[in-house]
Amino acid sequence: MPTYQGPIHDVQFLLNDVFDYDAQISTLPGFDEVTPDIVAAILKGAAEFSEDCLVPINLPGDLTGCKWENGNVTTPMGYKAAYDAYRNGGWPALAAEPEYGGQALPASLALIVREFIASGSLSFGMYFGLTLGAYRSISAHADDALKRIYLPKLADGSWAGTMCLTEPQSGSDLSSVRTRAEPDQDGAYRITGTKIFISGGDHDLTENIVHLVLARLPGAPSGTRGISLFVVPKRVPVVENGVLTGTVPNAVSCGSIEHKMGIRAQATAVLNFDGARGWLIGDPNGGMRAMFTMMNSSRLGVAVQSVGAAEIAWQNALAYAKDRRQGRGPGAAAQTPDGGPEPIIVHPDVRKNLLTMKAFVEGMRGLYIEAAIALDVKARHPDRAVSDAAEGTLALLTPVLKAFISDCALRVTEIGIGIFGGHGYIHENGMEQLYRDARIVPLYEGTNAIQALDLVHRKLALEDGAIVERYFDAVSKLIVEQRANSRLDDMTAALDNGLQLLRETTAAMCRHANDDALEAASSASDYLRMFGYVALGATWLRIAGAADAALAGSPERADFLSGKVKTARFYFERLLPEAWVCHSAIMAGSSSVLAISATEL
Amino acid sequence: MPTYQGPIHDVQFLLNDVFDYDAQISTLPGFDEVTPDIVAAILKGAAEFSEDCLVPINLPGDLTGCKWENGNVTTPMGYKAAYDAYRNGGWPALAAEPEYGGQALPASLALIVREFIASGSLSFGMYFGLTLGAYRSISAHADDALKRIYLPKLADGSWAGTMCLTEPQSGSDLSSVRTRAEPDQDGAYRITGTKIFISGGDHDLTENIVHLVLARLPGAPSGTRGISLFVVPKRVPVVENGVLTGTVPNAVSCGSIEHKMGIRAQATAVLNFDGARGWLIGDPNGGMRAMFTMMNSSRLGVAVQSVGAAEIAWQNALAYAKDRRQGRGPGAAAQTPDGGPEPIIVHPDVRKNLLTMKAFVEGMRGLYIEAAIALDVKARHPDRAVSDAAEGTLALLTPVLKAFISDCALRVTEIGIGIFGGHGYIHENGMEQLYRDARIVPLYEGTNAIQALDLVHRKLALEDGAIVERYFDAVSKLIVEQRANSRLDDMTAALDNGLQLLRETTAAMCRHANDDALEAASSASDYLRMFGYVALGATWLRIAGAADAALAGSPERADFLSGKVKTARFYFERLLPEAWVCHSAIMAGSSSVLAISATEL
């Protein structure tokens, strides 16, 4: 069974040495109590919760999966107890507002907690993330009466949330949503339709489940401009004199759950709404906008989950490579004194795979933490110019974070299986489950192909290209700063080359996005990947600079810090060059992609 | 549930238009009856067997898996019936010798049959491949008495075979095998030890199972030079006057079976040998050599299985992309007349993924068929120089075929899930099983990292480098030939560049292999991958040339043939450039891989 230790040390390094978290966060209004001690306590608690409550149930939960019987879903053994521990620990309330019982801690800190929880059980973490999403939607778009009923229950975790978008005929393309909402008495609506692939759609963890449902009002325009967002609880709150006194069943039923490749402790449900009572939130026909606010934060959440999944694969691959003795390494110097077999970490190929895992996992953690800090700056910074800038960068990077990180995380879990060799293929060792669980991340919350189109068509065009220019300028500035350190010359040079190429490619992609949608669509995924490699390069340069600077003053962290610098070097030499393949694919143009007809395929 | 049609048309194109199979094979001694009609009948029969008997049991068999109870393994429902149909069809005897009941058909044809069977059920196909491996080992190394007992039973499929190499402490490194063989009466031995990961180690498909077991004789040298090969049947044949009259139990028991990520209808067993009766085959302490003969053919078999696994993923992804309607394509011209959603194949990203699948699957099929023909030429060609040349090329290419094809096949099945989007994650649609099943191919029969070391250290050095030079010269010759066709200019130029770079890189790798084992080991996988991309490029150039030549005379195949040319172009523009990344990784050298210590990781 896999083991796990919350990567507190690495997170603290990123917060303190790389991003100056305290200075950035505790100066924001409302966060003056977010001291380093508070942060440390939260990290320790989250790590312990994941290590003690989640890791032990994850492997057995995969074998049993969720059970559906007579319309009710039972989660695997141990999930209810873990959920109760999670509630009792106050975790659902972490980033919620104080007036609804929340602790009002930074969203960035809640995202780091989410990483730790995702490492312990990706299935479990999804219940957390979806409830948070429902909380945010209601908080942002519902009226006060609804907020007073729902938010305290979501914040204390006694109710959970879902997002109901997909229908059998309507997946990536939400314009074909058919679920209907008919006006009912009291300003409520009757919702009718079938939703599929609903994560957390039914389960036994909470008293109630709050579904956020996309549906059409009578006479609504066709397409996405005619979709509205509704709160549809599994059990309808009974409110007397403004006080919640109980709940009664609603006409929502769980028709079945899916048999999936992974995240088998997560109930992915078919939900039937048969005239269920629902309440409109946001504007009529404004459902897509309301949903997109939430989707963007969900997409950042997927990046965080992905890092969590990759982290536990990396930890176990490293431990196995140090422990498993098999054969001898190639260099004479590497042999054991007794002439017996050596740990497989002596093999350069194993080491290269470990370095690939480490470079992706630790770099991606830096990438998401930087974005997570921007999320708090965007929400709280008093200077509008600063918060707008953070918002712009975040909007630009969201599709890159979602798609590039989920793809790389999946690759990390795949490499993890390989390091275990045949033993990686065996369920009990847990590595194959980590891949299966992580296989969902590139697929959901908008497939990675859709993220690429979002980047090329919407995000590059933000403020007529000024947002992406500003991002590139920030990377340029970082390169100039780090040039002061001649020990990093090879890295600054490599990133500079990558950035130049990305700037040129971006100009070409912007032209395509305006003139030739087919050309843009043919290269969008390659472009996003190239962008991701350069962005990760920027993060690694920043990490290497911070680690190198800290080395002289922190002899007790010497191995940790020099390991960072060496991993950065590996990234620039062995991984960043993949950006050039992306570039060559983009430059090859669309003709070979488009020339072939469906009958020739 | 996935559907499948044996790719007879594509195989016939490769045999007739690309490789001139009839001229190459039917001129070999003993193959004069292998007419195109016979070949066509075999292909048709194999396709039907896989379509009718295997595809329907593959998805349900994954859910139930094999069951172990009281030491006996039961295969999933339908597997015994499929095995009986397979026996009754005479399939096990296809390539066996006539004196043992075989049909003496070409090994190349048997390998194509194996591809079709692997598409239908990778689990089922392994029983086939292992039995063939046991047949070959006994045929090549055992004495006549053993041959007369075992070979007819293996050829008619009433007995099955296994290869028992791995032990808990001895996986990739067989030097640490501990299983012992003590001399017994009658020239037999008593075998004692535990073997793990034994595919087909126990099952209910046959009357008996013939284990080929690596073990040590008393006083044998340590390491691989002290390992011998034994035939150890599950039930010991009772022979009276040279006639097999029955069998009695042997001291072999199945201790458990593994719970695996995939190939769950294949029993992967722990076998306990408790003084089991066994018979030495080959020389004492010559077990590794005897095993390696078989391993090399098994490794080609893995390449073939991999193509089978990728083929069914490709067929279903293509069908889904043509059928699933969702959203609209980017070009105005692409829209449907009714304004409704379009099949997702109109999206350039989907099309690019489909082309990637097609380019890999169909190219890899060409690659293995060329090698399979060399296998027959090696075994049968009367001119020793020709057969030796075939043997050399085959030895060189075997690690490339095993590792590159299994890696690319896995990638194809992963892309297949992506084309289905969220639906790819659902068990009933079958795509996720194809990945899980295929995940084993890079791991077994020598991990792909070991293939890379084999290529760099053993295969490049064959005949002092003359074998690899001859291979490169053959590719050069192909390029020169195809230059006559100006319509392929872009492709010949791309391949020529790739080949030049590969030649230079090969020279560097040969130097490393002699001087610096750590440097060689740091780049071996990248080098193998680079070699694979160029070799696949050579196959695609050959295919494009043949298709282009046939176009004028075959209007009824116009779509098929022009599709080949266009897929070749896609390969050269979009996939071959990955060879450059491998090159850049190799040129970066080992320092970033080796600089980091285990404690810094």
Side-chain angles (χ1 to χ4, degrees), chain A residues 171 326 351 414 435 581 596, chain B residues 171 326 351 414 435 581 596:
Chain A
Q326 194 70 188
R351 193 174 278 257
E414 186 169 272
Y435 176 90
V581 175
I596 200 162
Chain B
Q326 194 69 187
R351 193 173 278 257
E414 186 168 272
Y435 176 90
V581 175
I596 200 162

Side-chain angles (χ1 to χ4, degrees), chain A residues 76-130:
Chain A
M77 190 152 69
Y79 273 76
K80 179 78 173 88
Y83 190 82
D84 291 344
Y86 163 79
R87 273 195 66 194
N88 294 335
W91 296 107
L94 214 61
E97 295 134 297
E99 59 263 46
Y100 303 116
Q103 299 176 42
L105 285 166
S108 49
L109 197 54
L111 281 166
I112 296 168
V113 169
R114 193 165 174 180
E115 185 213 306
F116 291 10
I117 287 177
S119 288
S121 167
L122 206 56
S123 292
F124 185 93
M126 289 171 67
Y127 295 108
F128 172 36
L130 292 159

Side-chain angles (χ1 to χ4, degrees), chain B residues 269-501:
Chain B
V270 174
L271 290 185
N272 299 313
F273 296 88
D274 299 309
R277 297 260 289 170
W279 286 264
L280 178 69
I281 65 173
D283 298 326
N285 303 328
M288 286 300 284
R289 220 188 48 237
M291 195 52 102
F292 253 100
T293 325
M294 199 168 84
M295 288 273 278
N296 269 327
S297 97
S298 298
R299 286 171 178 180
L300 179 53
V302 173
V304 173
Q305 287 180 308
S306 303
V307 173
E311 169 68 27
I312 184 167
W314 151 239
Q315 286 191 19
N316 284 276
L318 178 62
Y320 188 80
K322 287 180 174 178
D323 181 61
R324 169 75 172 169
R325 292 176 181 272
Q326 194 69 187
R328 308 257 184 90
Q335 306 202 355
T336 50
D338 64 358
E342 293 183 285
I344 60 172
I345 198 170
V346 301
H347 292 283
D349 195 75
V350 170
R351 193 173 278 257
K352 193 168 60 179
N353 282 324
L354 289 172
L355 274 160
T356 302
M357 297 177 91
K358 181 177 168 79
F360 278 128
V361 172
E362 294 177 4
M364 297 188 306
R365 179 175 293 121
L367 205 47
Y368 94 67
I369 287 183
E370 192 170 7
I373 293 170
L375 196 62
D376 285 317
V377 170
K378 167 196 147 189
R380 304 252 179 173
H381 203 285
D383 182 340
R384 181 66 183 267
V386 175
S387 82
D388 281 357
E391 180 169 12
T393 307
L394 200 56
L396 172 70
L397 292 183
T398 293
V400 178
L401 290 163
K402 194 282 176 180
F404 183 71
I405 291 185
S406 62
D407 277 345
C408 294
L410 187 64
R411 185 166 156 199
V412 166
T413 61
E414 186 168 272
I415 296 171
I417 295 174
I419 287 180
F420 274 63
H423 296 272
Y425 202 64
I426 305 299
H427 178 266
E428 283 77 0
N429 294 319
M431 300 302 282
E432 59 91 28
Q433 182 191 354
L434 299 180
Y435 176 90
R436 287 188 290 105
D437 285 355
R439 187 63 186 87
I440 194 62
V441 286
L443 299 175
Y444 71 5
E445 298 291 348
T447 66
N448 285 357
I450 284 180
Q451 305 300 323
L453 294 175
D454 179 45
L455 174 65
V456 169
H457 286 289
R458 292 205 197 97
K459 301 306 173 63
L460 292 185
L462 286 175
E463 295 183 20
D464 282 331
I467 298 283
V468 67
E469 272 309 311
R470 209 172 53 216
Y471 175 74
F472 291 156
D473 290 345
V475 177
S476 283
K477 185 161 162 278
L478 170 73
I479 292 170
V480 170
E481 283 164 12
Q482 298 296 338
R483 274 200 190 120
N485 181 348
S486 63
R487 287 185 300 280
L488 308 182
D489 274 353
D490 53 338
M491 304 189 204
T492 48
L495 183 60
D496 200 26
N497 287 337
L499 181 64
Q500 289 311 322
L501 204 63

Side-chain angles (χ1 to χ4, degrees), chain B residues 60-350:
Chain B
D62 176 64
L63 266 194
T64 47
C66 288
K67 302 285 180 207
W68 179 93
E69 209 172 12
N70 301 324
N72 296 309
V73 173
T74 314
T75 53
M77 190 153 70
Y79 273 76
K80 178 77 173 89
Y83 190 82
D84 291 343
Y86 164 77
R87 273 194 65 194
N88 294 335
W91 296 107
L94 213 60
E97 296 134 298
E99 60 264 47
Y100 303 116
Q103 299 176 42
L105 285 166
S108 50
L109 197 54
L111 281 165
I112 296 168
V113 169
R114 193 163 174 183
E115 185 213 308
F116 290 10
I117 288 177
S119 287
S121 167
L122 206 54
S123 292
F124 184 93
M126 288 171 67
Y127 296 108
F128 172 35
L130 292 158
T131 301
L132 193 64
Y135 180 97
R136 289 218 184 104
S137 295
I138 294 171
S139 171
H141 301 292
D143 63 30
D144 283 344
L146 288 172
K147 286 187 191 181
R148 276 195 302 272
I149 298 169
Y150 287 95
L151 296 185
K153 289 296 190 180
L154 292 167
D156 77 4
S158 53
W159 296 2
T162 77
M163 283 167 62
C164 300
L165 287 69
T166 304
E167 300 178 5
Q169 81 295 343
S170 180
S172 293
D173 176 21
L174 289 172
S175 69
S176 52
V177 158
R178 289 185 195 149
T179 297
R180 304 187 317 275
E182 305 279 345
D184 194 24
Q185 49 194 328
D186 317 328
Y189 293 81
R190 292 283 177 184
I191 312 293
T192 303
T194 297
K195 295 285 180 179
I196 65 168
F197 292 174
I198 307 309
S199 297
D202 195 57
H203 54 74
D204 55 357
L205 301 178
T206 55
E207 300 160 11
N208 200 0
I209 302 175
V210 182
H211 305 296
L212 278 277
V213 182
L214 288 185
R216 289 184 188 282
L217 290 168
S222 65
T224 52
R225 286 171 312 146
I227 296 177
S228 306
L229 186 61
F230 298 84
V231 173
V232 187
K234 179 182 175 183
R235 296 181 64 87
V236 179
V238 178
V239 180
E240 287 167 17
N241 302 322
V243 178
L244 179 68
T245 56
T247 58
V248 294
N250 201 357
V252 185
S253 61
C254 175
S256 63
I257 58 174
E258 306 289 351
H259 302 104
K260 305 189 302 298
M261 183 181 205
I263 49 165
R264 290 167 43 79
Q266 167 59 236
T268 305
V270 174
L271 290 185
N272 299 313
F273 296 88
D274 299 309
R277 297 260 289 170
W279 286 264
L280 178 69
I281 65 173
D283 298 326
N285 303 328
M288 286 300 284
R289 220 188 48 237
M291 195 52 102
F292 253 100
T293 325
M294 199 168 84
M295 288 273 278
N296 269 327
S297 97
S298 298
R299 286 171 178 180
L300 179 53
V302 173
V304 173
Q305 287 180 308
S306 303
V307 173
E311 169 68 27
I312 184 167
W314 151 239
Q315 286 191 19
N316 284 276
L318 178 62
Y320 188 80
K322 287 180 174 178
D323 181 61
R324 169 75 172 169
R325 292 176 181 272
Q326 194 69 187
R328 308 257 184 90
Q335 306 202 355
T336 50
D338 64 358
E342 293 183 285
I344 60 172
I345 198 170
V346 301
H347 292 283
D349 195 75
V350 170

